[in-house]
Structures are given as C-alpha cells and as structure tokens.
Amino acid sequence: MFDKLDDILIHYEELMRMLGDPDVTQDTKRFTKLMKEQADLAPIVEAYKQYKQAKQDVEDSLAMLEEESDEEMREMAKEELADAKKRIEDLEHELKILLLPKDPNDDKNIILEIRAGAGGDEAALFAAELYRMYTNYADSHRWKVEIISLNENGIGGFKEVVAMVTGKGAYSKLKYESGVHRVQRVPETESGGRIHTSTATVAVMPEAEEVDVQIDMNDCRIDVMRASGNGGQCVNTTDSAVRLTHMPTGIVIYSQTEKSQLQNKEKAFRLLRSKLYDIELEKRQSSEAEERRSQIGTGDRSEKIRTYNFPQGRVTDHRIKLTLYKIDSIMNGDIQELLDNLIAADQAAKLSKLNEQV
C-alpha cells in the first residue's frame, strides 16, 4: 500500500508542476482534465502527508523518552506518543478506504424513478412523499431537480415520477436508494384505524452521456401528441408531448413537462440513454455476482430495503439493520445519517473482501 502511496505522491507533485505550466493552462481541455485528476488525488495525498507526520511524531516522542529524565516532560512525551499512534491507526484505515477502486459513475447526475407499488392510492401518496424527501435532500446540496415525466392519481399522489437530479456526486450519495421502500401507517381514508402496508419502488440510474451509449435512430419510434395534465399554459393546446419507443428493448418513454416538442424529445432521449446504460450496468454487475453480494445496495430493485413505520416513528434500513426514530425529519429530506451508514457498510464490505484476497 505504501509503495502505491509514494507513487501517488510523486505523480501528484508532477501534476502540480504541470498545472503551473503556461502551455498547459492555455490548453483548456488538458487543464480541466489535470485539475480533475488533481482534485481526485488531493484527499489521498493530504491523508498520506498527515500519516507521515504522525510517524515522525512517534519517532520524536520515542527519542524524547530515551533522552529525557524530567518526569513531567516524559509524561508529555508519553501522551504525544499515544496520540500519534492513534492518529496512525485512524489514518491507515482512512487511506485504505481512499484507495478503494472508485465507482466511475460516482460524479454523475442521476435519473430518479419512483413508482407506486402495492397499496393503490396510499402507495401513490407514499411515492409522492418519497419524491419530496429526495427533492428536499437535493435542495440541501443545492442540486437541481427537473421532472421528466409525471403520472398523478388526482389526490396528490404519484403513480410514477421520473426526474433528473443534477449535481456533483449525486450518484455517489443516492445510488444506495434503489429498491422497494415500504410504508406502514393508518391511511386518512381508513375509518377503522387499521394500519396498512404499502410500497413504492425507487430506481436510481447514473445519467448516461452520448459517449456512454450510442443510440441507433432506426431502433426508435417517435410519436407526438397533445400533453395531458392538470391544466396550465400550453397544456392540451399544442402537439408538444413526445412518446419515444425503443424497439429492441421495448422501453417506452413519455415526456410532456416542457412547452416545446424539441425539449420534450431531448429529455426523452436523455432518459432512454440512462435506461440503456443502466441495463448494461446490470448485466456487468450480474456477471460479477459474488462481488455484488459482498456490497451494499446498488443491487436488486425487487429487494425490500427500507420500512417507514409511522405509528412507531421509526425508519429501518434492512440491509444494515439500522433503525432511526426520527421519521418526520427523514421524510423532510434529512437522510444523511442513513446514507452515511450505508456508505460506511459498503466500504467495510469492500475492505473485508480486499483483505481476504491479500
């Protein structure tokens, strides 16, 4: 590990030298690429420098203990030695995590797809609440959320909503949310006060760029029609809605949220690219089934991953056996504690697998 870290340190210093070169700064494409590489390596380099300093502090403290006879100074040296050893232990763990292979999709924007599952209108209401939860979380990170398609049930619920979430690291944070989310509560329509169980399915897909997926236009059929919805300017007045059908896969995308047909068409193709990219990722991951089983959560969409129990005020993530008693704040978008624990569990699983291979 330390040979690799030394190589990274040398490469980082070379990157810094190149970034100061006037010839490089004038080449925008190269400069941007080097800046991204430098930003990716900076946390590793900083942690490694701290590690080396802690090692030096251990040596200095040991030398002081050998030379010093004053008891007060020796006690101080012992405290500094213990602190430095603890820092070394913590930094070794941090460096192992930083050196784990990075998911190439982590920095991508995402397509968020939420569908009502079992439970009729109550499931649709829950799907709408999940959408608001993720929207509030995105707002807290200053990410942009843009609806691509929406199918409402007339009482404030969503049968299906598809949205683009644009923001640095969106996929790295939300990729663990794919799966079946279950709600247990007494619906407002329930006169007998019985607790109902409903579900909604969440899919989080990295946004695919044109370089990631090539679409053959001969494989696509595009139909245009008048948008349908709850009113508003331009709705039902022009043929602006687009239905895009990808014949080889049978994927059908309906986009009607924009006023212009061109914008709706562009959104539909963005979603199609991401769906095709996601299918390719699924194939790749299923061929690495063993590795996938050892990791937390970008897995099977049919897996029940979380329960939101309103009567008891608790949210339980079944993958990591974590229960939090703050359902109101979670439904308002305060999901960072859940995500942090999922990320930590995923890293621990990957580290364990790495240690087995050594």
Side-chain angles (χ1 to χ4, degrees):
M1 179 173 91
F2 296 106
D3 287 343
K4 187 175 182 181
L5 286 165
D6 285 331
D7 290 342
I8 288 171
L9 192 54
I10 292 165
H11 181 56
Y12 184 81
E13 286 164 358
E14 177 64 14
L15 278 173
M16 296 303 288
R17 187 195 64 73
M18 286 193 286
L19 286 167
D21 185 335
D23 291 337
V24 173
T25 54
Q26 286 169 17
D27 184 343
T28 309
K29 193 173 179 181
R30 189 182 176 203
F31 184 73
T32 304
K33 184 183 175 186
L34 292 175
M35 279 292 291
K36 185 182 182 309
E37 192 177 354
Q38 183 265 339
D40 288 342
L41 292 179
I44 301 173
V45 169
E46 180 57 32
Y48 189 40
K49 284 180 177 177
Q50 289 179 29
Y51 175 84
K52 291 177 87 163
Q53 183 57 57
K55 292 283 279 187
Q56 185 59 52
D57 291 345
V58 165
E59 287 182 24
D60 292 346
S61 298
L62 288 170
M64 185 182 285
L65 281 169
E66 278 186 18
E67 297 164 7
E68 193 59 62
S69 56
D70 181 81
E71 199 52 46
E72 194 173 326
M73 293 297 288
R74 286 179 64 80
E75 280 303 313
M76 189 187 297
K78 284 177 185 176
E79 283 180 23
E80 288 176 358
L81 179 62
D83 287 346
K85 283 182 173 179
K86 179 69 169 66
R87 282 205 314 278
I88 286 170
E89 192 179 314
D90 292 344
L91 286 162
E92 274 186 5
H93 181 71
E94 184 183 340
L95 283 165
K96 283 177 184 174
I97 288 171
L98 287 168
L99 288 173
L100 285 171
K102 192 180 177 188
D103 186 334
N105 294 311
D106 273 354
D107 289 335
K108 287 183 184 281
N109 304 324
I110 64 165
I111 302 287
L112 174 67
E113 193 174 80
I114 304 173
R115 283 198 174 96
D121 284 341
E122 172 64 9
L125 289 168
F126 178 51
E129 288 175 77
L130 286 177
Y131 176 73
R132 283 190 287 274
M133 178 181 84
Y134 292 124
T135 301
N136 289 341
Y137 179 75
D139 287 346
S140 72
H141 283 74
R142 298 183 179 177
W143 296 341
K144 181 184 174 187
V145 181
E146 188 182 3
I147 289 181
I148 294 174
S149 69
L150 175 62
N151 183 3
E152 299 173 270
N153 73 343
I155 59 168
F158 294 171
K159 292 179 183 177
E160 179 188 87
V161 59
V162 182
M164 168 76 71
V165 181
T166 307
K168 185 171 172 57
Y171 185 72
S172 70
K173 296 284 197 301
L174 292 175
K175 63 183 176 182
Y176 302 99
E177 293 301 288
S178 289
V180 176
H181 295 240
R182 182 175 70 168
V183 63
Q184 294 174 324
R185 63 183 172 191
V186 179
E188 289 178 21
T189 53
E190 171 58 56
S191 56
R194 290 175 301 171
I195 294 172
H196 282 228
T197 298
S198 306
T199 62
T201 303
V202 175
V204 176
M205 296 168 278
E207 183 195 10
E209 296 164 26
E210 288 187 41
V211 293
D212 297 320
V213 176
Q214 297 294 322
I215 297 173
D216 187 342
M217 293 304 293
N218 294 321
D219 290 339
C220 300
R221 188 177 74 238
I222 299 168
D223 300 305
V224 294
M225 61 208 73
R226 295 198 173 180
S228 61
N230 296 326
Q233 284 188 326
C234 298
V235 175
N236 301 319
T237 60
T238 59
D239 289 339
S240 60
V242 171
R243 184 173 63 221
L244 173 61
T245 306
H246 186 249
M247 266 88 80
T249 58
I251 293 170
V252 178
I253 292 160
Y254 184 67
S255 179
Q256 65 164 32
T257 56
E258 299 298 331
K259 293 178 182 179
S260 87
Q261 187 187 117
L262 192 66
Q263 287 173 312
N264 281 322
K265 186 177 170 184
E266 185 188 330
K267 275 190 172 183
F269 271 101
R270 283 170 79 184
L271 179 53
L272 177 60
R273 269 198 302 272
S274 295
K275 280 182 174 284
L276 293 174
Y277 185 56
D278 193 53
I279 289 169
E280 190 54 42
L281 283 180
E282 289 268 324
K283 285 180 188 171
R284 213 178 301 162
Q285 288 171 335
S286 61
S287 69
E288 300 159 0
E290 186 57 43
E291 181 185 345
R292 199 174 184 195
R293 275 196 292 272
S294 74
Q295 295 172 17
I296 304 295
T298 52
D300 191 347
R301 300 253 165 83
S302 63
E303 178 190 3
K304 183 186 72 183
I305 63 167
R306 195 174 294 151
T307 295
Y308 304 74
N309 185 296
F310 278 80
Q312 295 177 22
R314 63 175 167 83
V315 175
T316 299
D317 196 289
H318 305 291
R319 295 163 294 179
I320 53 174
K321 311 287 190 294
L322 174 69
T323 296
L324 300 176
Y325 288 88
K326 53 174 193 178
I327 196 165
D328 290 339
S329 63
I330 284 171
M331 296 310 294
N332 281 325
D334 181 16
I335 59 173
Q336 194 60 57
E337 188 175 353
L338 281 166
L339 300 182
D340 286 343
N341 277 278
L342 285 161
I343 290 167
D346 191 24
Q347 289 171 344
K350 287 173 181 172
L351 278 176
S352 175
K353 186 168 178 61
L354 206 63
N355 290 335
E356 286 172 15
Q357 293 170 349
V358 173

